């Protein structure tokens, strides 16, 4: 989890302030902090016609002036726009019968993991957590230290970190089907809990683009919440109907490193120095249709890119080919390599042990002697066993989402 030219001080699973400081330092490293504008809200993004280019973008901006205690508004015109506002800012809480009335009657009782900072405020309390992905696992495990045990963890299905029985101090419950005004919480198996002090939803987030002016931009939204995907996207990075609009960070894969590939490809295309041209709109539309059919058949999200099938490599390799190399005089950034060391780290470094996985706890040194799979390198990659001694070597694994912790 880092850019190719600046590694984290330590890791791979760092506390939140480490990535924040890392990003701040990264701007200084490349001397781009002088052109960085902070504490400014983008209120509106509107496409406008241009004479000598496909389009331009008018941004309406707002910044608070503390000296005068007023908001300062202004507009600027840009040749291209890249959305990189992330998709972990607007908490997602599923609809449940009676939840809205329950929240009104018991204000502060239902919260989202976005606001969670430590287990101390919940000391001695009766707690229900909802969700068992990364945040659900972390929050539930940490609460055991201070709350009234057991912590009741509501989960829809078994996660890859769960064994046959819940860990000490945790009790598993099915999905909640109803909240009642007397405080009772009823689960799908008709079991229930009374006198719950707090319910913590660890159910993720939804992308949000409040600045996108749908009416002015062709009358279309940017994101389809029902399908859970960007509208008219191409390779999760470009847009079919906007030549100078891009987006970074939607796929859940190789945080920071994948951003780097996307950013370089977008910069090359927008500057007209890309190595491979984007295909016609018809081909881009076909890619989107086929992608929808594929993920629906496999039961996964549109922007989830699988690692074990080689899909991650295909995506990054495509961005790599579009970007090409920088100029002879060094203008432009060189796309990073997907090194054997990085691949080994992704496949072997896990935040949580996986019950029943014979690979957990195995001698890593033995793994280095095994033969690597060729699917990440393409058919033209040659393997020379005599050259692989002492190097990080990939290990064949059964199909699973090894990036589930991201």
């Amino acid at each position: 989890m880092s850019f190719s030219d600046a590694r984290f001080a330590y890791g791979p699973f760092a506390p939140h302030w480490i990535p924040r400081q890392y990003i701040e330092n990264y701007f200084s490293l490349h001397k781009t902090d002088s052109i960085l504008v902070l504490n400014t809200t983008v209120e509106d993004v509107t496409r406008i016609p241009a004479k000598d280019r496909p389009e331009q973008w008018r941004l309406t901006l707002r910044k608070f002036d503390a000296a005068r205690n007023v908001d300062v508004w202004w507009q600027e015109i840009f040749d291209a726009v890249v959305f990189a506002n992330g998709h972990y800012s607007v908490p997602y809480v599923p609809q449940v019968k009676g939840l809205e009335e329950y929240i009104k009657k018991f204000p502060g009782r239902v919260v989202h993991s976005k606001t969670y900072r430590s287990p101390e405020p919940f000391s001695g309390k009766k707690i229900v957590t909802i969700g068992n992905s990364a945040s659900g696992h972390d929050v539930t495990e940490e609460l055991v230290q201070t709350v009234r045990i057991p912590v009741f963890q509501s989960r829809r299905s078994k996660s890859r970190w769960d064994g046959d029985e819940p860990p000490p101090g945790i009790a598993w419950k099915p999905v909640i089907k109803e909240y009642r005004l007397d405080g009772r919480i009823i689960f799908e198996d008709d079991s229930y809990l009374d006198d719950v002090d707090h319910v913590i939803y660890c159910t993720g987030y939804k992308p949000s683009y409040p600045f996108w002016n749908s009416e002015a931009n062709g009358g279309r939204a940017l994101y389809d919440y029902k399908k859970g995907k960007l509208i008219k996207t191409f390779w999760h990075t470009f847009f079919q109907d906007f030549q100078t609009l891009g987006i970074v960070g939607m796929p859940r894969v190789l945080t920071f490193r994948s951003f780097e590939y996307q950013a370089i490809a977008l910069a090359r295309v927008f500057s007209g120095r890309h190595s491979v041209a984007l295909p016609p709109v018809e081909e881009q539309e076909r890619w989107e249709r086929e992608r929808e059919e594929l993920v629906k058949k496999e039961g996964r999200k549109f922007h989830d890119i699988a690692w074990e099938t080689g899909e991650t490599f295909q995506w990054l390799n495509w961005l790599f080919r579009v970007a090409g190399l920088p100029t002879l005089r060094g203008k432009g950034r060189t796309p990073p390599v997907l090194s054997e060391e990085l691949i080994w780290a992704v496949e072997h470094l896990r935040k949580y042990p996986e019950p029943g996985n014979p690979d957990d706890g195995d001698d890593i040194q033995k793994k280095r002697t095994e033969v690597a799979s060729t699917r990440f390198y393409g058919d033209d990659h040659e393997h020379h066993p005599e050259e692989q001694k002492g190097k990080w070597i990939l290990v064949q694994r059964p199909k699973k989402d090894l990036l589930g912790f991201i």
Side-chain angles (χ1 to χ4, degrees):
M1 192 173 77
S2 67
F3 293 114
S4 61
D5 58 344
R7 293 195 174 191
F8 268 43
Y10 65 88
F13 306 107
H16 68 90
W17 61 84
I18 297 298
R20 183 183 63 191
Q21 186 64 56
Y22 172 84
I23 294 172
E24 292 176 358
N25 292 342
Y26 195 78
F27 275 96
S28 300
L29 174 67
H30 291 280
K31 300 179 181 179
T32 54
D33 48 345
S34 61
I35 59 174
L36 180 65
V37 178
L38 299 175
N39 302 316
T40 302
T41 302
V42 179
E43 296 288 348
D44 183 272
V45 176
T46 297
R47 181 176 66 167
I48 59 176
K51 294 181 179 180
D52 57 346
R53 60 200 68 200
E55 61 208 359
Q56 286 184 306
W57 300 89
R58 183 180 64 233
L59 271 61
T60 302
L61 307 167
R62 176 175 61 86
K63 188 170 187 175
F64 179 68
D65 185 339
R68 295 183 293 166
N69 196 32
V70 297
D71 283 334
V72 178
W73 293 70
W74 75 100
Q75 291 183 329
E76 292 188 35
I77 306 298
F78 294 88
D79 295 325
V81 172
V82 177
F83 293 150
N85 60 317
H87 48 97
Y88 294 112
S89 57
V90 179
Y92 167 68
V93 175
Q95 290 185 341
V96 181
K97 181 180 179 181
L99 176 58
E100 188 173 348
E101 294 78 10
Y102 185 90
I103 291 174
K104 291 179 180 178
K105 184 170 183 180
F106 305 104
R109 182 175 292 188
V110 179
V111 297
H112 191 274
S113 58
K114 178 181 173 70
T115 64
Y116 177 90
R117 292 296 178 268
S118 73
E120 280 70 25
F122 304 96
S123 179
K125 303 292 183 65
K126 186 176 182 179
I127 305 296
V128 175
T129 61
I130 300 173
N132 64 337
S133 191
S135 59
H137 185 95
D138 282 347
V139 171
T140 302
E141 188 177 70
E142 192 172 54
L143 285 170
V144 172
Q145 306 171 24
T146 61
V147 305
R148 172 183 160 191
I149 58 175
V151 179
F152 297 94
Q153 184 181 27
S154 170
R155 53 185 205 149
R156 187 175 299 277
S157 59
K158 182 178 180 179
S159 80
R160 51 191 285 259
W161 307 301
D162 293 337
D164 295 329
E165 299 292 336
I170 298 174
W172 287 337
K173 302 292 288 183
V175 173
I176 296 174
K177 73 174 183 179
E178 183 181 359
Y179 288 88
R180 291 187 178 177
L181 293 181
D182 60 0
R184 176 166 291 182
I185 299 175
I186 304 176
F187 299 88
E188 281 191 340
D189 61 355
D190 290 327
S191 64
Y192 60 87
L193 291 174
D194 292 323
D195 303 319
V196 171
D197 293 303
H198 288 286
V199 178
I200 305 176
Y201 272 89
C202 308
T203 44
Y205 302 82
K206 290 291 185 181
S208 178
Y209 307 97
F211 44 75
W212 178 253
N213 192 328
S214 297
E215 183 177 352
N217 297 328
R220 66 100 151 178
L222 198 69
Y223 191 84
D224 187 330
Y225 288 93
K226 187 175 182 180
K227 292 184 177 181
K229 62 178 289 293
L230 292 166
I231 298 172
K232 294 185 178 181
T233 182
F234 181 60
W235 280 94
H236 318 281
T237 307
F238 300 91
F239 289 94
Q240 300 161 17
D241 49 347
F242 301 118
Q243 297 183 42
T244 57
L245 180 68
I247 189 165
V248 167
M250 180 57 70
R252 180 180 60 94
V253 57
L254 290 182
T255 302
F256 287 119
R257 190 60 59 89
S258 62
F259 304 165
E260 195 171 348
Y261 284 95
Q262 287 184 288
I264 295 172
L266 283 166
R268 292 280 210 278
V269 170
F270 290 166
S271 63
R273 293 194 287 108
H274 47 293
S275 178
V276 177
L278 300 184
V281 174
E282 293 76 18
E283 290 188 29
Q284 297 182 30
E285 292 173 343
R286 184 171 67 250
W287 174 88
E288 185 180 25
R289 288 195 304 270
E290 292 176 352
R291 177 75 183 175
E292 282 194 67
E293 294 171 359
L294 174 65
V295 296
K296 183 178 181 180
K297 179 181 178 181
E298 296 182 351
R300 56 192 177 105
K301 298 177 182 178
F302 185 91
H303 296 292
D304 281 357
I305 299 179
W307 174 269
E308 281 295 309
T309 61
E311 190 177 47
T312 298
F313 179 81
Q314 294 172 4
W315 179 53
L316 298 181
N317 186 53
W318 183 84
L319 293 171
F320 187 99
R321 290 189 296 105
V322 167
L325 297 176
T327 65
L328 182 61
R329 294 190 175 185
K331 288 186 177 181
R333 191 179 180 92
T334 302
V337 298
L338 193 63
S339 66
E340 292 187 25
E341 180 182 3
L342 174 62
I343 295 172
W344 186 93
V346 171
E347 294 210 333
H348 292 79
L349 299 181
R350 295 185 296 280
K351 188 172 184 179
Y352 315 111
E354 298 177 17
N357 187 341
D359 289 321
D360 278 0
D362 284 355
D363 186 352
I364 293 177
Q365 191 64 34
K366 292 181 180 179
K367 295 181 184 298
R368 297 183 183 180
T369 64
E370 299 186 28
V371 179
S373 168
T374 61
R375 65 183 180 277
F376 295 102
Y377 298 98
D379 297 334
D380 58 345
H381 179 77
E382 296 182 5
H383 290 273
H384 301 285
E386 67 277 6
E387 296 179 1
Q388 294 183 354
K389 294 179 180 179
K391 293 185 178 181
W392 298 110
I393 301 299
L394 307 182
V395 179
Q396 287 277 15
R397 288 182 177 274
K399 180 180 178 181
K400 65 176 66 174
D401 180 11
L402 293 177
L403 300 180
F405 60 83
I406 297 180

